[in-house]
Amino acid sequence: MNLTQVQLAKQLGVSQRTVSNAFLPHAAISARTRQRVAAAAQKLGYRPNTSARAIRQGCFNAITLLMSADPYRSELPKFMFYGIQAAARAADVAVHLNIVPDDELGEENFVPKALREWQSDGLLINYHKSLPEHLQQLIDRHGIPSVFLNLDADHDSVRPDDRGAGRAATEHLLALGHRRIWYVGYSYRRDKFHYSELERQDGYADAMLDAGLKPTCIDYYHPELGTRLLLDAWRRALIATDRPTAVVCYANDLDLSVVHHAATLAGLIVPRDLSLVTFDGSPAVGAIGIDTWLVPEAEVGRIGFKMLQQKIRQPKRMLAGRKVPFTHEPGESVAPPSVVDPSARTTWRSQP
């Protein structure tokens, strides 16, 4: 049978309130007393009854991470989860995970357990897109403190600054002397996309236009390079006289790998003949280290947790959406262009 607080207090010769406060991170109690209670609890096998504490205090000292079973709608990068956990651990707050089944997600009468039962103090909602309208209505109706992760929203949300990263990556190449810079994003789909795919491209376009240059954006709908024969199309593009001297890639999987492989087939050497830049949650490494703008996954998780704690304290307050800047991990794939042509303006444009 689990030892009670009263029994532990009797063993230590202190009040039950002192024992209770010793397990509250922000309670006014000396470090010596807190350590003494913790040592005795470990020795005697006492475990705090969090359910009883929640009833007494009206809070659970826990949050719920709500997400979909569909990884496209609700992918959780590991570093973002680490950021949430690190912030929660520092605040002595538990994190519950609630994954909503996709076959029930679209049902109007379906209500996730996190909303049916009051089991935590607030929700971190990890839905990138397509959150069912009735779920948002339930969250609003019940007044549950909530913060969205990695969602493009004006308030109560935190996400990476993808547009700023697209601009920064392009400006770095421009500063080195590149003028024929292309952007490639084969992840883009007109009927299904994540905001980051468009924002990184928009940031690239912003920098190019500010420099008086025409953006060249390549995707599946491109009239020349948007084909299934990607390697052959890119090889031909990279041996043309108006080829790019640098390419900004949305991601390091399909986008970067196709261009890198095609450059090899075209006889180009990276970075002497072609500079490559990409975005990812960790440094992209292949035969050489790729110049990478790092998605601030851990920082988004940490800030999301901090914002939720603020919402829990002030549930009616609407918090301004946060955009977290990327950091730059220089690689071996970027160098000044071997041949600079400032007058180059010829471009292939994506279909409207």
Side-chain angles (χ1 to χ4, degrees):
M1 183 175 178
N2 189 32
L3 194 70
T4 67
Q5 278 193 2
V6 172
Q7 292 170 324
L8 180 59
K10 187 175 180 180
Q11 290 277 353
L12 290 169
V14 298
S15 68
Q16 184 270 335
R17 183 177 182 82
T18 297
V19 172
S20 178
N21 285 341
F23 293 100
L24 299 175
H26 304 298
I29 187 173
S30 70
R32 179 181 178 185
T33 300
R34 192 185 297 275
Q35 293 170 0
R36 182 174 171 231
V37 172
Q42 182 176 8
K43 179 179 180 181
L44 299 173
Y46 170 76
R47 291 179 299 168
N49 187 330
T50 55
S51 297
R53 180 189 300 168
I55 293 173
R56 291 196 310 271
Q57 299 178 351
C59 67
F60 291 87
N61 211 33
I63 64 168
T64 293
L65 177 59
L66 182 65
M67 55 191 294
S68 166
D70 180 354
Y72 180 81
R73 173 184 287 155
S74 201
E75 180 183 0
L76 180 64
K78 65 179 181 180
F79 291 116
M80 187 179 296
F81 186 65
Y82 294 165
I84 295 169
Q85 287 283 43
R89 185 167 57 251
D92 195 28
V93 171
V95 179
H96 304 313
L97 180 63
N98 194 326
I99 299 178
V100 180
D102 284 356
D103 57 348
E104 300 175 349
L105 191 61
E107 298 179 10
E108 186 174 354
N109 295 325
F110 172 71
V111 182
K113 185 178 179 66
L115 301 180
R116 289 198 314 268
E117 301 177 7
W118 194 260
Q119 56 184 214
S120 64
D121 301 315
L123 302 176
L124 277 179
I125 305 174
N126 186 45
Y127 281 81
H128 305 165
K129 63 185 295 287
S130 302
L131 178 69
E133 185 178 351
H134 71 277
L135 284 184
Q136 181 63 67
Q137 292 172 349
L138 281 169
I139 292 169
D140 295 339
R141 185 187 312 153
H142 291 285
I144 301 175
S146 304
V147 170
F148 285 89
L149 299 172
N150 202 12
L151 183 74
D152 185 18
D154 294 331
H155 61 86
D156 298 333
S157 68
V158 56
R159 66 178 181 87
D161 183 6
D162 290 276
R163 187 164 189 158
R167 172 184 278 277
T170 308
E171 288 177 340
H172 180 63
L173 293 170
L174 289 167
L176 290 174
H178 291 277
R179 291 299 178 266
R180 296 198 301 269
I181 306 170
W182 291 6
Y183 180 93
V184 56
Y186 282 116
S187 301
Y188 174 78
R189 298 289 188 280
R190 297 186 182 184
D191 60 337
K192 185 178 183 182
F193 61 88
H194 187 251
Y195 71 85
S196 64
E197 298 169 42
L198 296 182
E199 287 219 342
R200 292 177 195 175
Q201 176 178 308
D202 287 344
Y204 153 82
D206 291 342
M208 292 293 285
L209 291 171
D210 286 351
L213 303 169
K214 292 183 179 180
T216 303
C217 301
I218 313 296
D219 57 39
Y220 274 122
Y221 303 97
H222 194 282
E224 298 288 343
L225 297 181
T227 77
R228 291 189 177 183
L229 303 175
L230 294 179
L231 281 177
D232 185 59
W234 270 100
R235 183 193 63 79
R236 286 186 283 108
L238 293 177
I239 62 176
T241 56
D242 62 347
R243 70 171 180 84
T245 61
V247 177
V248 179
C249 303
Y250 167 75
N252 72 348
D253 42 23
L254 176 62
D255 308 322
L256 178 64
S257 61
V258 166
V259 178
H260 199 180
H261 192 179
T264 301
L265 295 177
L268 302 181
I269 297 176
V270 176
R272 186 195 69 187
D273 304 313
L274 183 69
S275 289
L276 297 177
V277 176
T278 192
F279 309 88
D280 206 330
S282 56
V285 178
I288 61 173
I290 303 298
D291 197 88
T292 308
W293 290 80
L294 299 177
V295 184
E297 296 171 352
E299 189 68 0
V300 167
R302 187 189 69 81
I303 291 175
F305 176 84
K306 296 287 187 180
M307 290 178 66
L308 181 57
Q309 292 296 93
Q310 189 174 353
K311 288 286 291 187
I312 290 169
R313 293 191 297 268
Q314 300 172 293
K316 294 184 179 181
R317 181 180 177 184
M318 188 176 293
L319 302 178
R322 295 277 302 274
K323 294 182 182 180
V324 185
F326 286 49
T327 56
H328 185 205
E329 182 73 20
E332 302 170 273
S333 64
V334 168
S338 55
V339 176
V340 180
D341 182 8
S343 64
R345 294 294 185 273
T346 304
T347 181
W348 290 340
R349 297 184 64 83
S350 299
Q351 291 292 313

